[in-house]
Amino acid sequence: MTRLLPTPSQTVGPYLSIGLPWPDGPHVVPEGTPGAFWIRGTVRDGNGDPVPDAMIETWQADPEGGFCHPDDPRGATSGEFRGFGRCPTTPEGTYGILTLLPGVLPGEGGTTQARHIDVSVFARGLLNRCVTRIYFGDQDNSGDPVLATVPEERRETLVAAKTDDGYRFDVRLQGEGETVFFAV
């Protein structure tokens, strides 16, 4: 007689990275879109090992600062721009999202937010998603009210480095060099 054991309690991953991706998920815009570039990186755990079963989701404004969402009266104006991307990591822990540079956004009290992409990270062992932002190293990030709340010595964990075909943004889930995550 086979004895059945209880199913382990589910965490956020790896189940989401197995069941939720779709073929064009990493494409916020179609291949060949003028101005499109790749954001690539590696998701690593606290030991520095790649996480092969994580999933990255991105949400962003279009180049004019509009969102592809009915709650934004400005709306997205950039052709086939979706504003949303979703990509599971490879067995080596890498991911890639094809997108456009987001526009500057209005902030509270008449301020502006620097160009950024909101990122959710889902992975094994997490009970909830981790939320962070990608800022761009070759853009003016000074004055961004959210980035200003991050201790200066940790800000570099939110800044993507320019590469030949876009930017590199690595995610460290914990430990030395841990990516800054926000409570939302």
PDB file of all heavy atoms in Angstrom, residues 1 22 30 40 49-50 52 60 62 70 86 93 99 108 113 121 123 125 142 157 159 169 176:
ATOM      1  N   MET A   1       0.839  -1.168   0.000  1.00  0.00           N
ATOM      2  CA  MET A   1       0.000   0.000   0.000  1.00  0.00           C
ATOM      3  C   MET A   1       0.890   1.239   0.000  1.00  0.00           C
ATOM      4  O   MET A   1       1.805   1.370   0.802  1.00  0.00           O
ATOM      5  CB  MET A   1      -0.905  -0.015   1.226  1.00  0.00           C
ATOM      6  CG  MET A   1      -1.655   1.265   1.408  1.00  0.00           C
ATOM      7  SD  MET A   1      -2.317   1.323   3.067  1.00  0.00           S
ATOM      8  CE  MET A   1      -4.016   1.458   2.804  1.00  0.00           C
ATOM      9  N   TRP A  22       4.139  33.309 -21.008  1.00  0.00           N
ATOM     10  CA  TRP A  22       3.563  33.081 -22.318  1.00  0.00           C
ATOM     11  C   TRP A  22       4.605  33.512 -23.350  1.00  0.00           C
ATOM     12  O   TRP A  22       5.538  34.235 -23.023  1.00  0.00           O
ATOM     13  CB  TRP A  22       2.220  33.790 -22.482  1.00  0.00           C
ATOM     14  CG  TRP A  22       2.268  35.285 -22.529  1.00  0.00           C
ATOM     15  CD1 TRP A  22       2.287  36.046 -23.650  1.00  0.00           C
ATOM     16  CD2 TRP A  22       2.281  36.198 -21.431  1.00  0.00           C
ATOM     17  NE1 TRP A  22       2.317  37.382 -23.318  1.00  0.00           N
ATOM     18  CE2 TRP A  22       2.319  37.495 -21.956  1.00  0.00           C
ATOM     19  CE3 TRP A  22       2.278  36.041 -20.052  1.00  0.00           C
ATOM     20  CZ2 TRP A  22       2.353  38.628 -21.164  1.00  0.00           C
ATOM     21  CZ3 TRP A  22       2.310  37.185 -19.270  1.00  0.00           C
ATOM     22  CH2 TRP A  22       2.335  38.442 -19.814  1.00  0.00           C
ATOM     23  N   PRO A  30       7.127  44.782 -29.598  1.00  0.00           N
ATOM     24  CA  PRO A  30       7.580  43.749 -30.544  1.00  0.00           C
ATOM     25  C   PRO A  30       9.034  43.958 -30.968  1.00  0.00           C
ATOM     26  O   PRO A  30       9.542  45.087 -30.972  1.00  0.00           O
ATOM     27  CB  PRO A  30       6.643  43.934 -31.747  1.00  0.00           C
ATOM     28  CG  PRO A  30       5.491  44.727 -31.259  1.00  0.00           C
ATOM     29  CD  PRO A  30       6.002  45.563 -30.127  1.00  0.00           C
ATOM     30  N   ARG A  40      18.700  42.872 -19.364  1.00  0.00           N
ATOM     31  CA  ARG A  40      19.088  41.494 -19.056  1.00  0.00           C
ATOM     32  C   ARG A  40      19.761  41.467 -17.687  1.00  0.00           C
ATOM     33  O   ARG A  40      20.365  42.448 -17.261  1.00  0.00           O
ATOM     34  CB  ARG A  40      20.050  40.956 -20.100  1.00  0.00           C
ATOM     35  CG  ARG A  40      19.486  40.930 -21.508  1.00  0.00           C
ATOM     36  CD  ARG A  40      20.531  40.359 -22.460  1.00  0.00           C
ATOM     37  NE  ARG A  40      20.288  40.698 -23.836  1.00  0.00           N
ATOM     38  CZ  ARG A  40      19.512  40.024 -24.675  1.00  0.00           C
ATOM     39  NH1 ARG A  40      18.877  38.961 -24.247  1.00  0.00           N
ATOM     40  NH2 ARG A  40      19.369  40.398 -25.918  1.00  0.00           N
ATOM     41  N   ASP A  49      24.181  32.157  -5.663  1.00  0.00           N
ATOM     42  CA  ASP A  49      23.882  31.160  -6.692  1.00  0.00           C
ATOM     43  C   ASP A  49      22.716  31.630  -7.562  1.00  0.00           C
ATOM     44  O   ASP A  49      21.758  32.238  -7.057  1.00  0.00           O
ATOM     45  CB  ASP A  49      23.515  29.822  -6.046  1.00  0.00           C
ATOM     46  CG  ASP A  49      24.665  29.233  -5.250  1.00  0.00           C
ATOM     47  OD1 ASP A  49      25.833  29.439  -5.642  1.00  0.00           O
ATOM     48  OD2 ASP A  49      24.391  28.572  -4.227  1.00  0.00           O
ATOM     49  N   PRO A  50      22.753  31.332  -8.866  1.00  0.00           N
ATOM     50  CA  PRO A  50      21.639  31.696  -9.748  1.00  0.00           C
ATOM     51  C   PRO A  50      20.351  30.999  -9.312  1.00  0.00           C
ATOM     52  O   PRO A  50      20.375  29.859  -8.840  1.00  0.00           O
ATOM     53  CB  PRO A  50      22.076  31.186 -11.121  1.00  0.00           C
ATOM     54  CG  PRO A  50      23.551  30.965 -11.018  1.00  0.00           C
ATOM     55  CD  PRO A  50      23.836  30.667  -9.585  1.00  0.00           C
ATOM     56  N   PRO A  52      17.197  29.400 -10.776  1.00  0.00           N
ATOM     57  CA  PRO A  52      16.725  28.939 -12.081  1.00  0.00           C
ATOM     58  C   PRO A  52      15.209  28.940 -12.246  1.00  0.00           C
ATOM     59  O   PRO A  52      14.721  28.698 -13.349  1.00  0.00           O
ATOM     60  CB  PRO A  52      17.272  27.512 -12.152  1.00  0.00           C
ATOM     61  CG  PRO A  52      17.284  27.069 -10.720  1.00  0.00           C
ATOM     62  CD  PRO A  52      17.645  28.297  -9.934  1.00  0.00           C
ATOM     63  N   GLN A  60       5.649  49.543 -16.593  1.00  0.00           N
ATOM     64  CA  GLN A  60       6.294  50.826 -16.828  1.00  0.00           C
ATOM     65  C   GLN A  60       5.441  51.743 -17.687  1.00  0.00           C
ATOM     66  O   GLN A  60       4.526  51.301 -18.380  1.00  0.00           O
ATOM     67  CB  GLN A  60       7.634  50.615 -17.521  1.00  0.00           C
ATOM     68  CG  GLN A  60       7.447  50.118 -18.955  1.00  0.00           C
ATOM     69  CD  GLN A  60       8.741  50.008 -19.699  1.00  0.00           C
ATOM     70  OE1 GLN A  60       9.400  48.989 -19.603  1.00  0.00           O
ATOM     71  NE2 GLN A  60       9.111  51.053 -20.441  1.00  0.00           N
ATOM     72  N   ASP A  62       5.182  54.456 -20.906  1.00  0.00           N
ATOM     73  CA  ASP A  62       5.760  54.526 -22.244  1.00  0.00           C
ATOM     74  C   ASP A  62       6.740  55.709 -22.302  1.00  0.00           C
ATOM     75  O   ASP A  62       6.905  56.435 -21.308  1.00  0.00           O
ATOM     76  CB  ASP A  62       4.662  54.604 -23.300  1.00  0.00           C
ATOM     77  CG  ASP A  62       3.957  55.947 -23.370  1.00  0.00           C
ATOM     78  OD1 ASP A  62       4.267  56.867 -22.579  1.00  0.00           O
ATOM     79  OD2 ASP A  62       3.076  56.095 -24.227  1.00  0.00           O
ATOM     80  N   PRO A  70      -6.511  51.744 -18.235  1.00  0.00           N
ATOM     81  CA  PRO A  70      -7.682  52.624 -18.280  1.00  0.00           C
ATOM     82  C   PRO A  70      -7.714  53.685 -17.183  1.00  0.00           C
ATOM     83  O   PRO A  70      -8.381  54.710 -17.332  1.00  0.00           O
ATOM     84  CB  PRO A  70      -8.873  51.671 -18.157  1.00  0.00           C
ATOM     85  CG  PRO A  70      -8.324  50.341 -17.792  1.00  0.00           C
ATOM     86  CD  PRO A  70      -6.868  50.334 -18.088  1.00  0.00           C
ATOM     87  N   ARG A  86       6.786  39.843 -18.696  1.00  0.00           N
ATOM     88  CA  ARG A  86       6.919  38.728 -17.750  1.00  0.00           C
ATOM     89  C   ARG A  86       7.881  37.710 -18.342  1.00  0.00           C
ATOM     90  O   ARG A  86       7.704  37.266 -19.473  1.00  0.00           O
ATOM     91  CB  ARG A  86       5.569  38.075 -17.508  1.00  0.00           C
ATOM     92  CG  ARG A  86       5.653  36.916 -16.521  1.00  0.00           C
ATOM     93  CD  ARG A  86       4.335  36.202 -16.346  1.00  0.00           C
ATOM     94  NE  ARG A  86       3.438  37.027 -15.553  1.00  0.00           N
ATOM     95  CZ  ARG A  86       2.110  36.888 -15.570  1.00  0.00           C
ATOM     96  NH1 ARG A  86       1.541  35.987 -16.352  1.00  0.00           N
ATOM     97  NH2 ARG A  86       1.355  37.651 -14.814  1.00  0.00           N
ATOM     98  N   GLY A  93      19.651  31.201 -14.291  1.00  0.00           N
ATOM     99  CA  GLY A  93      19.142  32.317 -13.500  1.00  0.00           C
ATOM    100  C   GLY A  93      19.023  33.629 -14.249  1.00  0.00           C
ATOM    101  O   GLY A  93      18.784  34.671 -13.641  1.00  0.00           O
ATOM    102  N   THR A  99      12.106  46.230 -24.214  1.00  0.00           N
ATOM    103  CA  THR A  99      11.245  47.353 -23.858  1.00  0.00           C
ATOM    104  C   THR A  99      11.736  48.654 -24.468  1.00  0.00           C
ATOM    105  O   THR A  99      12.686  48.670 -25.260  1.00  0.00           O
ATOM    106  CB  THR A  99      11.127  47.468 -22.323  1.00  0.00           C
ATOM    107  OG1 THR A  99      10.100  48.378 -22.002  1.00  0.00           O
ATOM    108  CG2 THR A  99      12.436  47.884 -21.684  1.00  0.00           C
ATOM    109  N   GLU A 108       4.534  63.296  -6.354  1.00  0.00           N
ATOM    110  CA  GLU A 108       3.707  64.029  -5.395  1.00  0.00           C
ATOM    111  C   GLU A 108       4.256  65.438  -5.182  1.00  0.00           C
ATOM    112  O   GLU A 108       5.472  65.654  -5.237  1.00  0.00           O
ATOM    113  CB  GLU A 108       3.667  63.276  -4.068  1.00  0.00           C
ATOM    114  CG  GLU A 108       2.931  61.957  -4.164  1.00  0.00           C
ATOM    115  CD  GLU A 108       2.852  61.242  -2.824  1.00  0.00           C
ATOM    116  OE1 GLU A 108       3.018  61.901  -1.773  1.00  0.00           O
ATOM    117  OE2 GLU A 108       2.631  60.026  -2.842  1.00  0.00           O
ATOM    118  N   GLN A 113       9.305  61.968 -11.038  1.00  0.00           N
ATOM    119  CA  GLN A 113      10.032  60.729 -10.805  1.00  0.00           C
ATOM    120  C   GLN A 113      10.919  60.473 -12.023  1.00  0.00           C
ATOM    121  O   GLN A 113      10.483  60.640 -13.157  1.00  0.00           O
ATOM    122  CB  GLN A 113       9.071  59.565 -10.628  1.00  0.00           C
ATOM    123  CG  GLN A 113       8.189  59.668  -9.394  1.00  0.00           C
ATOM    124  CD  GLN A 113       7.310  58.448  -9.257  1.00  0.00           C
ATOM    125  OE1 GLN A 113       7.755  57.320  -9.420  1.00  0.00           O
ATOM    126  NE2 GLN A 113       6.044  58.683  -8.937  1.00  0.00           N
ATOM    127  N   VAL A 121       9.625  40.429  -8.358  1.00  0.00           N
ATOM    128  CA  VAL A 121      10.426  39.214  -8.439  1.00  0.00           C
ATOM    129  C   VAL A 121       9.685  38.133  -7.662  1.00  0.00           C
ATOM    130  O   VAL A 121       9.362  38.309  -6.488  1.00  0.00           O
ATOM    131  CB  VAL A 121      11.835  39.425  -7.839  1.00  0.00           C
ATOM    132  CG1 VAL A 121      12.655  38.146  -7.966  1.00  0.00           C
ATOM    133  CG2 VAL A 121      12.533  40.602  -8.487  1.00  0.00           C
ATOM    134  N   ALA A 123       9.974  34.019  -6.633  1.00  0.00           N
ATOM    135  CA  ALA A 123      10.983  32.955  -6.611  1.00  0.00           C
ATOM    136  C   ALA A 123      10.677  31.961  -5.507  1.00  0.00           C
ATOM    137  O   ALA A 123       9.905  32.245  -4.592  1.00  0.00           O
ATOM    138  CB  ALA A 123      12.375  33.543  -6.409  1.00  0.00           C
ATOM    139  N   GLY A 125      10.832  29.891  -2.215  1.00  0.00           N
ATOM    140  CA  GLY A 125      11.109  30.322  -0.861  1.00  0.00           C
ATOM    141  C   GLY A 125      10.489  31.646  -0.470  1.00  0.00           C
ATOM    142  O   GLY A 125      10.545  32.035   0.681  1.00  0.00           O
ATOM    143  N   SER A 142      18.749  62.214 -10.324  1.00  0.00           N
ATOM    144  CA  SER A 142      18.765  63.133  -9.188  1.00  0.00           C
ATOM    145  C   SER A 142      17.370  63.724  -9.009  1.00  0.00           C
ATOM    146  O   SER A 142      16.661  63.979  -9.972  1.00  0.00           O
ATOM    147  CB  SER A 142      19.792  64.247  -9.404  1.00  0.00           C
ATOM    148  OG  SER A 142      19.422  65.045 -10.515  1.00  0.00           O
ATOM    149  N   THR A 157      22.176  49.357  -6.212  1.00  0.00           N
ATOM    150  CA  THR A 157      21.457  48.096  -6.452  1.00  0.00           C
ATOM    151  C   THR A 157      20.190  48.320  -7.270  1.00  0.00           C
ATOM    152  O   THR A 157      19.564  47.353  -7.704  1.00  0.00           O
ATOM    153  CB  THR A 157      21.094  47.381  -5.138  1.00  0.00           C
ATOM    154  OG1 THR A 157      20.085  48.112  -4.448  1.00  0.00           O
ATOM    155  CG2 THR A 157      22.316  47.171  -4.261  1.00  0.00           C
ATOM    156  N   VAL A 159      20.227  50.633  -9.943  1.00  0.00           N
ATOM    157  CA  VAL A 159      20.634  51.307 -11.179  1.00  0.00           C
ATOM    158  C   VAL A 159      21.185  50.295 -12.179  1.00  0.00           C
ATOM    159  O   VAL A 159      22.150  49.582 -11.891  1.00  0.00           O
ATOM    160  CB  VAL A 159      21.667  52.412 -10.882  1.00  0.00           C
ATOM    161  CG1 VAL A 159      22.106  53.093 -12.172  1.00  0.00           C
ATOM    162  CG2 VAL A 159      21.085  53.438  -9.908  1.00  0.00           C
ATOM    163  N   PHE A 169      20.679  44.542 -15.345  1.00  0.00           N
ATOM    164  CA  PHE A 169      20.138  44.743 -14.007  1.00  0.00           C
ATOM    165  C   PHE A 169      20.060  43.393 -13.322  1.00  0.00           C
ATOM    166  O   PHE A 169      19.199  42.561 -13.641  1.00  0.00           O
ATOM    167  CB  PHE A 169      18.748  45.388 -14.061  1.00  0.00           C
ATOM    168  CG  PHE A 169      18.194  45.691 -12.698  1.00  0.00           C
ATOM    169  CD1 PHE A 169      18.651  46.775 -11.970  1.00  0.00           C
ATOM    170  CD2 PHE A 169      17.210  44.885 -12.139  1.00  0.00           C
ATOM    171  CE1 PHE A 169      18.145  47.055 -10.703  1.00  0.00           C
ATOM    172  CE2 PHE A 169      16.693  45.147 -10.881  1.00  0.00           C
ATOM    173  CZ  PHE A 169      17.159  46.239 -10.160  1.00  0.00           C
ATOM    174  N   GLU A 176      25.051  39.954   0.862  1.00  0.00           N
ATOM    175  CA  GLU A 176      25.879  41.081   0.445  1.00  0.00           C
ATOM    176  C   GLU A 176      25.440  41.582  -0.925  1.00  0.00           C
ATOM    177  O   GLU A 176      25.260  40.805  -1.855  1.00  0.00           O
ATOM    178  CB  GLU A 176      27.341  40.656   0.394  1.00  0.00           C
ATOM    179  CG  GLU A 176      28.285  41.811   0.151  1.00  0.00           C
ATOM    180  CD  GLU A 176      29.741  41.395   0.221  1.00  0.00           C
ATOM    181  OE1 GLU A 176      30.048  40.402   0.907  1.00  0.00           O
ATOM    182  OE2 GLU A 176      30.548  42.062  -0.419  1.00  0.00           O
TER     183      GLU A 176
END
